[in-house]
Amino acid sequence: MLLQALGLSHRFGEREALAGVDVTVRPGVLTGLLGPNGAGKTTLMRVVLGIIEPDAGQVLLDGRPVAFADRQRWGYMPQERGLYPQMPAGRQLVYLARLHGLSPAEAEARARALLAELGLGERWAERTERLSGGLQQRLQLGAALVHDPDVIVLDEPFAGLDPVAVEELSQSLRERVRAGRTVVLSSHQLDLVQDLCEEIVMIDHGRTVLTGRVDRLRASSGRRQLRLGLAPGTPRDWLTAFPAVEVVADQADALRLDLPPGTDALAVLDAARAAGSVIDFGLDLPTLSQLFLAAVGDAVPGGAGPDA
Ligand SMILES: Nc1ncnc2c1ncn2[C@@H]1O[C@H](COP(=O)(O)OP(=O)(O)OP(=O)(O)O)[C@@H](O)[C@H]1O
Ligand SMILES: [Mg+2]
């Protein structure tokens, strides 16, 4: 199903949390809502979920206004987690599945399959409060997925997770995306999701900063970074031949250079090789956080927001 948020605006008193943001989430295209702390991601998701009434704008599903019944078929993982601490992990999911109308047998089968998928198969009978923070987060994702929703909205699903858990949960999400579900997730860790999300909407102070396919956004700036692994003692004077090239990092045995659009990367590499021994090299596209910084100038992704 095609999920669209069009022209969303919302104020909390004097504070403008959303100032006309558009987000389109297509089925089968994992979409990231990115931005630093306080950008408006949670507010936007709450508006999409119908928890907050926007001051302006609308939320459409397959081109028509979202109805209450539509949202029954959605799964939402809120940023503030809401599990019952005393309830055993398995029973928690069975309970939620039953609320969604599954039979007792279906609910139990779904809960067992999900716990196994999320690496919690051994924790069926364990009280939720005894699970580590990361394991509770996996369970919270299970809670959002237990009724096999058509539309999946996840607010910071990766915050606080270790890299293995990030990869495992990413795998679960990719499978659902491949099955044609509509999936949007938010993250303030811009680079964490750049290999996972196909499309992104990046917001800051309630406004859209960048939007589109991640690969095109990263390629379209024309900027690249050249990494050079150098034999110690390799001089740097050859860099003066490339005044537009900026040194991002200079260590004893490594250089990282920012190449503006149009720079002949091979000419730079050749100059380095002529000056000394190049042991290793690589050409990288800018990361999403570098694009964010370039777009907004002063803000720090993942750092302090406007309220700090
Ligand atoms: N209930 C509220 N009352 C007043 N202001 C609020 C409320 N909820 C959010 N805000 C403000 O709206 C702005 C956007 O907040 P929001 O929680 O949507 O940001 P976010 O992008 O989700 O940030 P984070 O990465 O920290 O989760 C912030 O300035 C925040 O302080
Ligand atoms: Mg948030």
Side-chain angles (χ1 to χ4, degrees), residues 12 15 17 35-43 46 79 156 188 306-307:
F12 294 105
R15 185 173 292 140
N37 294 137
K41 305 179 295 296
T42 296
T43 305
R46 286 187 173 146
Q79 186 170 16
E156 299 277 356
H188 65 279
D307 315 303

Side-chain angles (χ1 to χ4, degrees), residues 54-125:
D55 298 336
Q58 52 182 344
V59 182
L60 304 176
L61 192 64
D62 285 341
R64 50 176 179 73
V66 177
F68 178 78
D70 295 319
R71 291 193 172 108
Q72 301 293 97
R73 297 283 314 132
W74 293 12
Y76 174 44
M77 179 175 174
Q79 186 170 16
E80 76 293 353
R81 313 307 185 198
L83 297 167
Y84 298 102
Q86 312 268 330
M87 211 186 261
R91 195 161 359 123
Q92 194 117 223
L93 295 192
V94 171
Y95 171 74
L96 291 169
R98 296 278 291 137
L99 281 185
H100 281 288
L102 275 70
S103 73
E106 281 172 335
E108 165 135 2
R110 193 70 67 74
R112 288 209 182 269
L114 258 182
L115 282 197
E117 177 185 336
L118 298 172
L120 290 165
E122 310 294 302
R123 303 299 188 111
W124 176 270

Side-chain angles (χ1 to χ4, degrees), residues 242-285:
F242 303 95
V245 170
E246 190 190 327
V247 178
V248 182
D250 188 350
Q251 295 162 342
D253 57 355
L255 261 182
R256 180 175 278 276
L257 305 173
D258 189 65
L259 310 184
T263 308
D264 182 350
L266 288 178
V268 179
L269 179 61
D270 285 344
R273 294 180 72 197
S277 171
V278 174
I279 296 159
D280 187 23
F281 65 94
L283 201 56
D284 303 323
L285 293 173

Side-chain angles (χ1 to χ4, degrees), residues 17-261:
L18 295 174
V21 179
D22 297 331
V23 178
T24 295
V25 189
R26 293 184 286 125
V29 178
L30 185 46
T31 302
L33 177 64
L34 308 183
N37 294 137
K41 305 179 295 296
T42 296
T43 305
L44 192 147
M45 288 191 159
R46 286 187 173 146
V47 169
V48 166
L49 265 292
I51 300 165
I52 296 178
E53 189 69 27
D55 298 336
Q58 52 182 344
V59 182
L60 304 176
L61 192 64
D62 285 341
R64 50 176 179 73
V66 177
F68 178 78
D70 295 319
R71 291 193 172 108
Q72 301 293 97
R73 297 283 314 132
W74 293 12
Y76 174 44
M77 179 175 174
Q79 186 170 16
E80 76 293 353
R81 313 307 185 198
L83 297 167
Y84 298 102
Q86 312 268 330
M87 211 186 261
R91 195 161 359 123
Q92 194 117 223
L93 295 192
V94 171
Y95 171 74
L96 291 169
R98 296 278 291 137
L99 281 185
H100 281 288
L102 275 70
S103 73
E106 281 172 335
E108 165 135 2
R110 193 70 67 74
R112 288 209 182 269
L114 258 182
L115 282 197
E117 177 185 336
L118 298 172
L120 290 165
E122 310 294 302
R123 303 299 188 111
W124 176 270
E126 192 149 342
R127 290 219 316 246
T128 300
E129 62 190 0
R130 298 214 183 140
L131 300 176
S132 74
L135 295 181
Q136 289 192 33
Q137 198 152 326
R138 291 170 184 229
L139 185 59
Q140 185 88 51
L141 178 63
L145 299 177
V146 75
H147 54 303
D148 192 19
D150 302 324
V151 174
I152 300 168
V153 180
L154 308 169
D155 199 354
E156 299 277 356
F158 300 123
L161 292 184
D162 67 54
V164 176
V166 168
E167 186 42 44
E168 286 176 0
L169 294 202
S170 298
Q171 193 52 39
S172 290
L173 297 182
R174 279 192 209 103
E175 275 167 26
R176 282 163 179 81
V177 168
R178 268 199 294 273
R181 303 289 182 271
T182 301
V183 184
V184 56
L185 62 88
S186 75
S187 181
H188 65 279
Q189 295 158 285
L190 311 187
D191 297 339
L192 187 73
V193 298
Q194 73 181 12
D195 295 325
L196 174 65
C197 293
E198 198 174 328
E199 295 196 0
I200 56 139
V201 176
M202 208 184 280
I203 63 173
D204 185 38
H205 293 89
R207 290 180 163 75
T208 305
V209 175
L210 284 174
T211 181
R213 290 181 55 95
V214 173
D215 53 359
R216 295 213 189 115
L217 286 172
R218 293 184 67 197
S220 68
S221 75
R223 301 194 81 84
R224 290 152 305 156
Q225 287 202 348
L226 179 63
R227 281 180 292 113
L228 295 172
L230 301 169
T234 302
R236 307 289 195 252
D237 52 355
W238 55 273
L239 279 167
T240 53
F242 303 95
V245 170
E246 190 190 327
V247 178
V248 182
D250 188 350
Q251 295 162 342
D253 57 355
L255 261 182
R256 180 175 278 276
L257 305 173
D258 189 65
L259 310 184

